[in-house]
Amino acid sequence: PGSVYAMGTGQAWIAIGLFLGTVFNWLCISSRLRRYTIRANNALTFPEYLQNRFHDTRKTLLLISSVVIVVFFLVYTASALSAGGKLFNTVFGLDYHAALAIGAGIILLYTVMGGFMAVCVTDFIQGMLMLVALLIVPITAYGAIDGDLASAVGATGVDADSFLSLFKNDGKDYDFIAIISQIGWGLGYCGMPHILTRFMAVKSNKELNKSKAIGIVWVALSLGFACVIGIVGRAYLGNPVLADSENVFIEMILHIFTSNLFLTFLGGLFLCGILAAIMSIADSQLLVTASSVSEDIYKSAFNPNADDKKILKVSRITVGVVAVLAFAIAWNPDNSIMGLVSNAWAGLGSAFGPIVLLSLYWKRTNLAGAVSGIVTGGLTVIIWDYIPFGGQTLYEMTGLYSLVIGFALSLLVIIVVSLCTKKPSAEMLQEF
């Protein structure tokens, strides 16, 4: 919503890409991954699935994938904590850093106490609350706009035709690279461990078939109305234009629902919808990171005989450490939530997306190819986004989203390395 509010409807290409990625993930990944999870010794975590899938007795793949998860999930978790800080800062006028601490403390508490089941149950409740808020707020705001939408948008100092066009971005024509970069966000879904572990944990394929319909409809509504919030918010809030566009949904709720006590109560519930979205992301990321450290690094590599109590203790310590590190990354109030999400999404999608696809669809994929692809995808994003060449990063030079190039290179490397090295064992081919 913030990017649409600031630069126009053209930013909706991100939502289009994410929707296409969601549909592909549900239709082409979920069922196969669920079945292969069972075949691969009922893997509990995504790195464990990769280890079992490629018969990695040395646990190289397990360790590399766990490290990648921890590194990029730190940034991803920081984005959620930053969003929580901005919410409490805007609504209550709290200092951003105090607000950040409150939000992090709430999420940390119930994730540590309740684990996977608490996260699944709260995700359902949070998701419903978030969906109601996404639907009602922009519809109400649209009804309150004085005159037509285009006139109200134009009154904020932008060309309305340009702002409302899918092929304009911040008043300029979209080029091919920009559109490909935004649609390319959809590639990330194939490699998101916190999403993939939900597919792995579904009780049965029958349940999975119901989930496909619910998931696709839910995402279509939430992404569509997220874009509507940005467009209608620009018209409804008018001048002055918000300095921090990422607060547009919060500001709309505060403007609409303050006229009487009952409306204020509703506004409070809808603000909880924003908090719900933040918490739903953060708890999943903390949980996946904790399981990667406790199950895939601690138990598998260092203490194979660890009992459940020991593993649980390590998991809880990990959640605390990751939350503190993410808190430090989110400390700067000028950090863009969208920027933090973009970097983490690209890293995870590039590292894991290609190997998930090929592990399910190409039996010739082998361990050497898997390791090479994960390392290539992760390093490409780091080099592309963070390493300057002549004072500019490759992203700044080209404008191409690192996920697109990272995904393509990882896919290519997996294929080439797999073909140039020993083919999978007869047992692995039989499993496939």
Side-chain angles (χ1 to χ4, degrees):
S3 61
V4 172
Y5 173 90
M7 292 181 279
T9 308
Q11 290 290 307
W13 285 108
I14 296 175
I16 292 169
L18 289 172
F19 176 71
L20 294 174
T22 300
V23 172
F24 181 82
N25 219 23
W26 276 111
L27 298 184
C28 301
I29 300 293
S30 61
S31 295
R32 280 182 177 243
L33 181 60
R34 178 72 189 104
R35 292 198 300 272
Y36 219 137
T37 297
I38 297 168
R39 190 71 184 86
N41 295 326
N42 273 321
L44 289 175
T45 67
F46 176 65
E48 187 183 358
Y49 159 74
L50 292 178
Q51 175 190 301
N52 295 347
R53 163 67 177 86
F54 293 105
H55 294 199
D56 179 18
T57 55
R58 295 184 179 180
K59 301 181 179 177
T60 306
L61 194 55
L62 188 84
L63 291 172
I64 289 173
S65 55
S66 298
V67 169
V68 170
I69 286 174
V70 171
V71 169
F72 286 109
F73 264 28
L74 268 176
V75 180
Y76 210 157
T77 307
S79 72
L81 299 186
S82 176
K86 289 188 177 187
L87 173 66
F88 288 128
N89 170 256
T90 305
V91 174
F92 299 114
L94 291 174
D95 173 71
Y96 170 78
H97 299 113
L100 183 68
I102 292 170
I106 293 168
I107 294 165
L108 181 62
L109 183 65
Y110 81 81
T111 305
V112 166
M113 292 179 67
F116 188 75
M117 184 54 70
V119 169
C120 289
V121 172
T122 54
D123 270 1
F124 171 74
I125 298 168
Q126 291 159 352
M128 295 307 296
L129 188 58
M130 177 176 142
L131 185 61
V132 171
L134 280 169
L135 295 175
I136 291 180
V137 172
I139 291 172
T140 307
Y142 181 77
I145 292 172
D146 187 16
D148 64 79
L149 183 66
S151 300
V153 167
T156 65
V158 296
D159 177 62
D161 290 337
S162 175
F163 186 88
L164 296 173
S165 171
L166 259 180
F167 298 96
K168 296 282 186 178
N169 184 39
D170 204 16
K172 302 170 186 173
D173 289 333
Y174 251 125
D175 58 32
F176 178 74
I177 288 179
I179 291 178
I180 289 297
S181 291
Q182 296 205 342
I183 292 178
W185 275 71
L187 295 171
Y189 271 109
C190 298
M192 292 297 129
H194 59 300
I195 295 171
L196 298 173
T197 51
R198 302 307 174 88
F199 297 156
M200 293 165 62
V202 169
K203 185 164 55 178
S204 67
N205 270 336
K206 185 179 178 182
E207 292 291 326
L208 200 54
N209 289 332
K210 287 193 294 186
S211 298
K212 288 177 185 177
I214 295 168
I216 291 171
V217 170
W218 196 96
V219 168
L221 287 171
S222 59
L223 286 171
F225 275 87
C227 295
V228 171
I229 284 166
I231 298 166
V232 172
R234 185 74 180 231
Y236 175 74
L237 294 174
N239 286 317
V241 176
L242 296 176
D244 187 347
S245 64
E246 291 182 327
N247 286 337
V248 57
F249 194 26
I250 301 170
E251 292 290 349
M252 286 172 72
I253 293 170
L254 293 177
H255 276 71
I256 295 169
F257 298 101
T258 53
S259 57
N260 64 51
L261 188 60
F262 177 71
L263 288 179
T264 302
F265 175 75
L266 280 180
L269 288 178
F270 293 148
L271 288 171
C272 289
I274 300 175
L275 182 61
I278 295 163
M279 294 168 72
S280 179
I281 290 290
D283 59 23
S284 294
Q285 293 157 349
L286 285 170
L287 199 69
V288 171
T289 308
S291 63
S292 287
V293 172
S294 60
E295 290 280 350
D296 302 327
I297 296 178
Y298 174 72
K299 182 180 179 180
S300 296
F302 297 106
N303 191 0
N305 298 319
D307 59 23
D308 288 346
K309 286 185 178 180
K310 192 78 172 178
I311 293 169
L312 181 60
K313 184 177 180 181
V314 173
S315 292
R316 287 174 167 165
I317 292 170
T318 302
V319 168
V321 171
V322 170
V324 169
L325 293 173
F327 181 86
I329 295 171
W331 186 255
N332 182 1
D334 296 327
N335 277 336
S336 161
I337 299 167
M338 189 78 164
L340 291 170
V341 171
S342 172
N343 294 339
W345 190 262
L348 293 165
S350 296
F352 296 132
I355 192 55
V356 169
L357 270 177
L358 293 178
S359 74
L360 298 173
Y361 282 94
W362 190 40
K363 65 182 179 181
R364 184 63 176 80
T365 315
N366 63 15
L367 176 59
V371 171
S372 302
I374 291 172
V375 172
T376 299
L379 285 179
T380 297
V381 169
I382 292 171
I383 293 169
W384 196 266
D385 286 338
Y386 294 104
I387 308 299
F389 296 90
Q392 281 188 312
T393 63
L394 291 170
Y395 170 71
E396 290 167 340
M397 291 180 196
T398 63
L400 183 63
Y401 185 27
S402 56
L403 174 54
V404 176
I405 189 70
F407 194 98
L409 285 177
S410 177
L411 195 69
L412 180 63
V413 166
I414 294 169
I415 294 171
V416 170
V417 172
S418 292
L419 290 174
C420 292
T421 52
K422 186 178 178 180
K423 74 175 185 178
S425 66
E427 185 184 357
M428 199 188 303
L429 292 175
Q430 180 60 36
E431 281 182 5
F432 185 90

